[in-house]
Amino acid sequence: MSVTLDPTTEAASMFLRGLRRRTGKPVPELAALFRSIVADGRQVHPMASDFLEHFMDGVGASRTMSLRWLRSFKVIKKAERKNQRRFERQLVREAGLLRDGGSTWLHDYWDARINAFIGTELFYVSRMSLLRSQGSFVLTRTGPEVRASGTVRHHWFDPYDWDRGRWVYIPRHGFVPIAVGRELVESDEARNFLMESRHVQTLVGTCWDGRRRRRGRAVFEWSLVRTTR
């Protein structure tokens, strides 16, 4: 006699399987599950479906993210701004050390960790990622004023894998164990790959000494370098 589980019971079962390292299910069934997630998600989360399909194709080639899509998420711009502020603080400190008529270079990089918000499409593509910002600037002092200019190269990246966590909730499929992805990779039915995106920003700014500017000792302006790609 067969027993049909209601959706609530099935979701609870998937959640509990997510606590184990292996699902105990045959590989063809696991592959069919991921293929159905790809098909069902096309209308709601097309980017997430595309990347899951690339994972299932088993090629392993890296994928470049759409910068416009990536920067549409507040958490990405927040990480970008975090690194910008770090550079700005460094520039203010370096400006304070310069003597009149002097100039200096500043080279450094900052990493900002990113945790996507649950329910956003970015969460289904990349739950945790990293933005590395490498900056190169020149500062020149003339009297109480220091001019700063430079370039920052941002590199966002994250390996697409199913190695972190225990399960993920996917609409219409409930709790899906992370072990599904691991088992598909182990059986050569899927392959991990690198997701990345790069963009460049320029900075111009001015720092002042003394009390002539009571509402701030520095002003910075950032601009995104547009590419033809």
Side-chain angles (χ1 to χ4, degrees):
M1 180 181 68
S2 63
V3 178
T4 302
L5 298 178
D6 61 56
T8 302
T9 304
E10 179 63 19
S13 177
M14 291 291 282
F15 177 86
L16 292 174
R17 282 200 293 271
L19 302 180
R20 302 196 295 266
R21 291 291 298 177
R22 304 193 68 82
T23 64
K25 289 189 171 291
V27 170
E29 183 176 331
L30 300 180
L33 170 63
F34 269 21
R35 292 292 182 187
S36 68
I37 292 174
V38 170
D40 293 343
R42 288 288 185 200
Q43 298 299 319
V44 181
H45 295 135
M47 187 71 72
S49 295
D50 180 47
F51 276 69
L52 181 57
E53 185 174 47
H54 186 67
F55 171 75
M56 291 297 297
D57 286 344
V59 177
S62 62
R63 289 289 299 270
T64 300
M65 301 288 273
S66 162
L67 179 60
R68 184 174 183 178
W69 180 85
L70 191 63
R71 294 182 79 241
S72 69
F73 296 96
K74 291 182 179 180
V75 67
I76 298 294
K77 286 194 173 182
K78 183 178 180 181
E80 182 182 281
R81 184 61 189 139
K82 181 177 182 179
N83 285 348
Q84 286 176 346
R85 288 197 178 103
R86 288 165 159 174
F87 285 124
E88 289 173 1
R89 287 193 290 269
Q90 285 182 292
L91 291 169
V92 169
R93 287 195 296 268
E94 290 295 325
L97 299 175
L98 270 181
R99 294 183 178 180
D100 190 19
S103 62
T104 188
W105 283 89
L106 171 66
H107 304 280
D108 205 351
Y109 76 91
W110 291 99
D111 289 342
R113 297 195 177 277
I114 299 166
N115 292 306
F117 293 114
I118 297 175
T120 64
E121 187 171 17
L122 180 63
F123 174 82
Y124 294 114
V125 174
S126 167
R127 286 189 291 171
M128 293 179 285
S129 57
L130 189 77
L131 180 69
R132 174 161 294 172
S133 305
Q134 295 182 302
S136 181
F137 310 91
V138 62
L139 300 90
T140 303
R141 175 179 288 279
T142 303
E145 182 178 276
V146 177
R147 296 277 186 174
S149 63
T151 301
V152 173
R153 300 182 182 277
H154 300 283
H155 182 203
W156 176 91
F157 58 95
D158 179 37
Y160 189 101
D161 54 38
W162 289 72
D163 294 335
R164 294 189 294 263
R166 294 177 175 177
W167 51 266
V168 60
Y169 181 81
I170 298 178
R172 301 181 63 180
H173 293 273
F175 295 102
V176 175
I178 295 298
V180 174
R182 286 197 299 263
E183 291 185 41
L184 289 173
V185 171
E186 292 170 0
S187 61
D188 206 28
E189 290 291 329
R191 190 167 297 177
N192 298 332
F193 61 94
L194 178 67
M195 301 177 293
E196 59 183 342
S197 180
R198 300 175 187 269
H199 64 285
V200 178
Q201 289 183 317
T202 58
L203 172 141
V204 292
T206 306
C207 304
W208 291 270
D209 287 342
R211 300 179 180 179
R212 296 176 62 184
R213 292 181 60 85
R214 297 182 179 179
R215 293 189 177 182
R217 298 174 55 239
V219 173
F220 298 102
E221 181 179 344
W222 294 85
S223 301
L224 180 65
V225 176
R226 302 292 179 179
T227 63
T228 56
R229 294 181 57 185

